[in-house]
Amino acid sequence: MTISMIGIDHDRAPVDIRALFAFTKKNAGEAMEKFKETAGIHGCIILSTCNRLEIWASHEDDQELSLYQCLCQLKNIQDDSYESYFVSRTDREAAEHLFYLAGGLKSQILGEDQILTQIKDALNLAREHFTTDSTLEVLFRMAVTAGKKIKTEAPLAHGNPSVIHQAVSHLKEQGYDMHGKICMVIGNGEMGKVAAQTLRDAGANVTVTVRQYRSGMVSIPIGCSRIHYGERMNFLPNCDIVVSATASPNFTLREELFRDITIRKPLLLLDLAVPRDIEPSLGRKENITLYDMDSFHTEKLSPEANESLVRAAAIVEEQMAEFFQWLDGRDVIPRIQEIKAEAVQDLNLRIEKILKKTPMQEEDRVQLLEAVDTAAGKVVNKMIFGLRDSLNQEAFLECVAGLEKVYEE
C-alpha cells in the first residue's frame, strides 16, 4: 500500500490559480467518489480550503497513478502548465507534511487554528461518501492528534489567528483605527461570521448580508446588524470597509455594479474567498484599496516561536513513528498469525505422540490439548512481539521472514 498526495497552496500559486482547482463541499464529495472508482485506489480524501487544495489517495504499490491528471479530468482542464504549481508527496514525506499541516505549521498565518478543523471536516466528508479506508482514516486521525498536541504543548500563536485577524492587525500597524468604522460583511458562513465578530471586537459597526430566502433561519454575531444580500450596493457607499467571504463561484462585487454609485470616502475591500469574491479591477478605482487572501503574511518568527517549532517537530516525529509502526504492523500481523498457527500445530503433533502412550480419559486428553493450544499461542505471541519491541523494524521483519521459512520446509 502506498500513500500519495498532490497539493497546491498559497506558497506555490497565487489565488487565481488556486481558484481553478478549488472544490466546494458538495463537489468535493462527488470528486472523491470518482477518484475512488479509479482502479487500484482504496481510499481518497480531498482537503480544499481558501489557501490550499490537496488530493490524498491510498493505492497499490505498483500502480502507476497521476493524481494531477485525474484532477484535470474532473476539472476539465487541459493545460499541463499548471502542473508546475503542484507538489507531489508519497509515504513518509506525505505523512510528515500532513502532521505539520494539522499543527498550523504550514499555514499562511503560522499557528492558525482553522486548518485543524478543516482537516477533521475533510475526513468526515470522506466518511460520509465512503471514500476513506483504514490507512487514510488512521493517518488523518493521528494527524489531528498531533495537531492538538502541538496546540497545547508547543503553541505558536495566541488567541485565534486567521486571515481577518491578520488583516485587522496589519491595518492597525499602519495606523488605521477600526473604532466607529462602518463595515459590511458579505457572507454569513463560518469565515463570514469570524470576520464580522473580529471587526465588531475591534470596535467597528458591522452589518452582515444574508440571503433573503434564508433570512429567518440564520444567526449573525451578537452586536451586528443585517441586511438582505440584494441591498448590499445601496448600503456600500456608507461603508469604510467591506469584507466578502462566501463560497460563491461568481463575484459578489463586480465593477459594473459600481457604475451607479459614488464612493466619496476611502473604501477598503477585503476579499477572503477562493475563488475570488471581488472583481480584481475594482482595486484600480479611485478611493478603493483592495486586499485578497495573499495580502497578509506572517512576519519574522520570534525566538519563542522558534522554540515552539522545535517542540512541534518532536511531536510530529513521535506521532509519525506511531503511525508507521501501526502501518507496518498491519501488514505483518497476518504473517504472525500464520506462524503462530503453524507453531501450535507443530507442538500439538508432537504432544499427541506422547499422549497416545499416556493412560488418561479421552475427555481429559481433549481438555489438555485445548489448554496446550492456548498456552502455546500465548508463548509464540510473547516471543514474536517481544522481538518486535526489542529489535529495529528491519531486523524484526528479517526474523519474521526466517520463521516463515521454518514452516515452509
Side-chain angles (χ1 to χ4, degrees):
M1 182 72 69
T2 294
I3 300 168
S4 296
M5 65 81 63
I6 60 167
I8 185 172
D9 61 26
H10 57 88
D11 283 331
R12 301 184 64 86
V15 62
D16 289 332
I17 300 298
R18 301 200 304 272
L20 294 174
F21 297 94
F23 286 94
T24 64
K25 181 177 180 179
K26 179 181 178 181
N27 56 32
E30 296 170 350
M32 286 189 291
E33 291 177 4
K34 291 180 180 177
F35 269 108
K36 196 173 180 184
E37 290 173 0
T38 303
I41 291 184
H42 295 274
C44 177
I45 297 178
I46 291 179
L47 173 64
S48 185
T49 74
C50 293
N51 282 325
R52 71 184 68 250
L53 167 73
E54 296 185 356
I55 311 292
W56 288 80
S58 57
H59 56 92
E60 302 291 345
D61 290 337
D62 56 355
Q63 181 186 14
E64 293 185 7
L65 176 67
S66 172
L67 291 175
Y68 175 76
Q69 291 298 329
C70 294
L71 175 60
C72 287
Q73 289 176 11
L74 283 174
K75 289 290 186 178
N76 197 26
I77 293 174
Q78 299 177 351
D79 189 344
D80 291 337
S81 65
Y82 292 124
E83 190 168 7
S84 62
Y85 291 103
F86 283 81
V87 62
S88 299
R89 301 180 179 93
T90 59
D91 296 327
R92 292 194 68 85
E93 184 185 6
E96 182 179 62
H97 162 77
L98 183 63
F99 284 21
Y100 273 107
L101 183 64
L105 307 179
K106 292 199 171 187
S107 296
Q108 185 176 11
I109 300 173
L110 194 66
E112 59 96 0
D113 295 331
Q114 289 180 329
I115 187 61
L116 185 59
T117 299
Q118 290 162 342
I119 289 173
K120 289 190 287 187
D121 289 345
L123 175 58
N124 287 332
L125 186 62
R127 289 169 176 164
E128 291 173 14
H129 289 265
F130 304 100
T131 64
T132 187
D133 68 339
S134 61
T135 300
L136 292 182
E137 173 81 25
V138 174
L139 174 64
F140 270 66
R141 281 198 285 108
M142 294 188 70
V144 169
T145 299
K148 289 178 178 178
K149 291 189 71 173
I150 289 171
K151 298 296 181 189
T152 56
E153 299 177 20
L156 286 150
H158 301 287
N160 179 31
S162 66
V163 175
I164 186 62
H165 288 83
Q166 190 76 357
V168 170
S169 177
H170 173 80
L171 292 171
K172 184 177 180 180
E173 289 173 0
Q174 293 187 347
Y176 193 90
D177 187 3
M178 288 285 177
H179 285 84
K181 291 295 190 294
I182 299 175
C183 300
M184 176 170 61
V185 176
I186 301 174
N188 194 38
E190 180 182 353
M191 185 170 286
K193 288 179 179 177
V194 170
Q197 188 63 60
T198 302
L199 293 169
R200 184 76 183 87
D201 292 344
N205 297 319
V206 181
T207 297
V208 179
T209 70
V210 295
R211 297 285 184 177
Q212 186 166 1
Y213 68 91
R214 296 179 58 197
S215 60
M217 301 166 55
V218 297
S219 62
I220 61 174
I222 296 174
C224 298
S225 303
R226 73 169 69 193
I227 60 172
H228 293 315
Y229 174 77
E231 300 171 355
R232 68 194 186 285
M233 297 310 299
N234 294 330
F235 187 75
L236 189 141
N238 303 316
C239 296
D240 299 293
I241 301 173
V242 176
V243 177
S244 192
T246 77
S248 171
N250 303 312
F251 291 133
T252 57
L253 294 179
R254 305 186 306 276
E255 188 171 1
E256 64 184 58
L257 297 176
F258 282 70
R259 291 173 184 168
D260 297 328
I261 65 173
T262 301
I263 306 299
R264 294 188 174 88
K265 59 180 178 178
L267 174 64
L268 299 183
L269 300 180
L270 276 61
D271 189 344
L272 305 186
V274 178
R276 289 178 187 262
D277 268 357
I278 301 175
E279 190 168 5
S281 59
L282 285 170
R284 297 191 291 271
K285 292 183 70 68
E286 187 178 0
N287 281 337
I288 293 179
T289 302
L290 174 61
Y291 295 98
D292 63 27
M293 289 291 293
D294 293 340
S295 300
F296 308 105
H297 297 277
T298 304
E299 297 179 354
K300 185 178 179 180
L301 296 181
S302 65
E304 293 81 7
N306 280 316
E307 291 178 7
S308 292
L309 283 176
V310 173
R311 293 198 298 274
I315 292 171
V316 168
E317 286 301 317
E318 176 187 334
Q319 292 298 119
M320 281 185 59
E322 186 175 339
F323 170 72
F324 280 102
Q325 184 177 28
W326 170 85
L327 187 64
D328 294 338
R330 188 195 66 162
D331 293 335
V332 80
I333 283 175
R335 296 166 60 189
I336 292 174
Q337 290 174 335
E338 290 181 6
I339 292 170
K340 182 175 73 172
E342 294 283 357
V344 170
Q345 184 180 8
D346 185 13
L347 181 61
N348 280 340
L349 291 173
R350 298 174 190 274
I351 289 179
E352 283 179 357
K353 293 179 181 179
I354 298 173
L355 292 181
K356 286 179 180 179
K357 302 176 182 179
T358 304
M360 64 170 49
Q361 297 291 327
E362 182 62 26
E363 182 179 348
D364 293 336
R365 193 190 311 275
V366 171
Q367 290 179 352
L368 179 59
L369 285 173
E370 289 177 353
V372 169
D373 279 357
T374 301
K378 290 181 178 179
V379 168
V380 174
N381 270 346
K382 185 176 181 179
M383 176 186 68
I384 294 180
F385 286 105
L387 286 173
R388 185 194 66 179
D389 294 339
S390 60
L391 299 175
N392 62 44
Q393 186 70 16
E394 184 178 355
F396 172 64
L397 292 176
E398 287 179 358
C399 288
V400 171
L403 289 171
E404 287 175 318
K405 288 181 179 178
V406 167
Y407 290 107
E408 286 176 359
E409 298 174 354

